[in-house]
Amino acid sequence: MSSFGVVLLLHGLALAASTAQPLPGIAIERRLADRYRLAVGDTVRLTPAADRPAARYLVEAIYQPKADPATALRGEYQIRFHLPELSRLLGAADRVDRIAVLGRPGIPADSTAFRLNQPAFGYRAYPSERIASESSRTFAVVSRFHRAIGVISIVASAVFLLCIMLLKVEERRLDAAVMRMIGISRATVFRAFVLEATLVAAVGSGLGVGLAAVAGALTNWVYRRRFETSLVFSHLSPDIVAFGVGLSLVLGVAVGALAARRLVTARPLALWRRAG
Amino acid sequence: MTVVLGQDLTKVYSLNGRQVAALRGVSLTIAAGEYLAITGPSGSGKSTLLQLLGGLDSPTGGRLELMGRRVEGLSDDELTDLRLRQVGFIFQRFHLMSVLTARENVELPLAEAGVGRRERSERAAELLAYVGLADRADHRATQLSGGEMQRVAIARALANRPALILADEPTGELDAATGAQILELFDRLHQDGVTLVVVTHDEHLAARVPRRVHLLDGRIDRDELATAR
């Protein structure tokens, strides 16, 4: 079996009866086997294009490929061939698109790529880390985009919280007036309202984290089923939780302090009259 | 001992650019242990006088002393401290903190005054027993009846052993039977030496108070002592 995988568009895939002659073996990925109910020992006919002749192959193995976000959404399936069989099927015996070279432990990929590129006759070698880095660049951008959306959401919810707190302060004006009338100091009233805002922000953050966890789990469940993959589509990492909770608490406390300040700067009688 | 000394008190409000005189030269002296009712029609200045006596507002003119201390010119923080230690308020609608228990409501002014946890717990228990609510100490304010809430409010007002208790229509939100129980409690406070000033429209309440000050148009119309109870 060749050491690399090939993505092949399937045309006219069909089950066929076993034949007496030994057939070339292939390995197919689990999703493909599940979709067409294939098992080891089954025979399939494959063709690289609808107008090309098909060849018979024996399913020798079913494997689970590593989840790859770059290919998960394409709706393609992987089949692995022995290299000569792949060349025969494609009708291009002297042509391959990609070859993975596995170096011995301790041999640096950079110098290996450099030495492979020295002859430079029709190919280009890259260290795998560089390919991984370039292929994940899109995801890094998407990740930053998601973070920006998260920050905007939290800030927007803080504005919403500000409005709620200000309304709540209007409701609590009478309580504040009574506290001030019975001799409770401005500082104590201020602390009480800031503490209340902090608790509201903390409980809200907790609920938000819980909601995010549930929404993330639901997202993963739906999209894993939809794309038949083990990829993680939504991940609630500790640093994101810490960032979200921290930002919510800071904004909540600030908003509470702002609202409480409106209360304690008024004289008790003025508060009493406005509350009445 | 004189608790309140008010001389020629005036209070003028500015209303839509117009000067409105709520008090026009009120002189009033209240001795320790007195039980006094301030009566009068709406707009006669009862509430304004109560606010001045409670350190909630300052007079525009005249001289006001509470426990020998001049009230005019005190800062907001000084007035707050005066209210905390020298004045107890009882409101018509009780105004307890709904999220706190009866005990916690009574402990609130004690905590603000810096009383230690154990001492304030004991004091709150003692006061709740005094107003007949020892068994309701751990109930939230919302779990109490109107009469019970007013009793807790009375216990709260007594918390820091103030020199003066001010009550604004204390039976206004209560039915006749419950109101009568509150009045009996006030009688007991008076017997125990508490200085009590009640603002009321309730003739029944005013009739049982030893001293009645009737205000009319911002002035004292009558200041009379009951001849018989």
Side-chain angles (χ1 to χ4, degrees), chain A residues 261-272:
Chain A
R261 192 175 171 279
R262 278 166 56 96
L263 274 185
V264 299
T265 49
R267 291 172 66 87
L269 261 188
L271 279 175
W272 177 264

Side-chain angles (χ1 to χ4, degrees), chain B residues 176-192:
Chain B
T178 311
Q181 290 171 0
I182 295 299
L183 296 184
E184 283 169 16
L185 184 54
F186 278 8
D187 288 343
R188 189 145 60 93
L189 288 173
H190 175 51
Q191 286 159 14
D192 291 342

Side-chain angles (χ1 to χ4, degrees), chain B residues 48-92:
Chain B
T48 302
L49 182 57
L50 190 81
Q51 288 157 9
L52 295 187
L53 298 182
L56 289 169
D57 209 350
S58 297
T60 312
R63 176 189 179 93
L64 177 63
E65 288 180 13
L66 284 176
M67 297 298 289
R69 188 177 182 192
R70 289 286 294 268
V71 171
E72 317 93 86
L74 290 182
S75 68
D76 189 69
D77 287 344
E78 288 169 326
L79 284 173
T80 302
D81 193 63
L82 181 82
R83 290 194 298 272
L84 177 68
R85 297 174 196 283
Q86 303 288 3
V87 183
F89 282 95
I90 299 166
F91 303 96
Q92 180 176 352

Side-chain angles (χ1 to χ4, degrees), chain A residues 180-181 183 185-186 188 272, chain B residues 56 76 80 83 89 95 112:
Chain A
R180 298 279 288 119
M181 286 169 95
S185 68
R186 290 176 195 273
T188 302
W272 177 264
Chain B
L56 289 169
D76 189 69
T80 302
R83 290 194 298 272
F89 282 95
H95 295 309
E112 181 69 14

Side-chain angles (χ1 to χ4, degrees), chain A residues 13 28 43 71 75 97 123 150 195 198 200 202 213-214 227 269 273:
Chain A
L13 179 73
I28 63 174
T43 301
T71 60
D97 292 331
Y123 65 83
L195 180 65
T198 307
V200 168
V214 171
F227 296 108
L269 261 188
R273 285 174 186 142

Side-chain angles (χ1 to χ4, degrees), chain A residues 148-162:
Chain A
I149 290 174
V151 170
I152 290 168
S153 301
I154 291 173
V155 171
S157 61
V159 173
F160 184 64
L161 180 67
L162 173 65

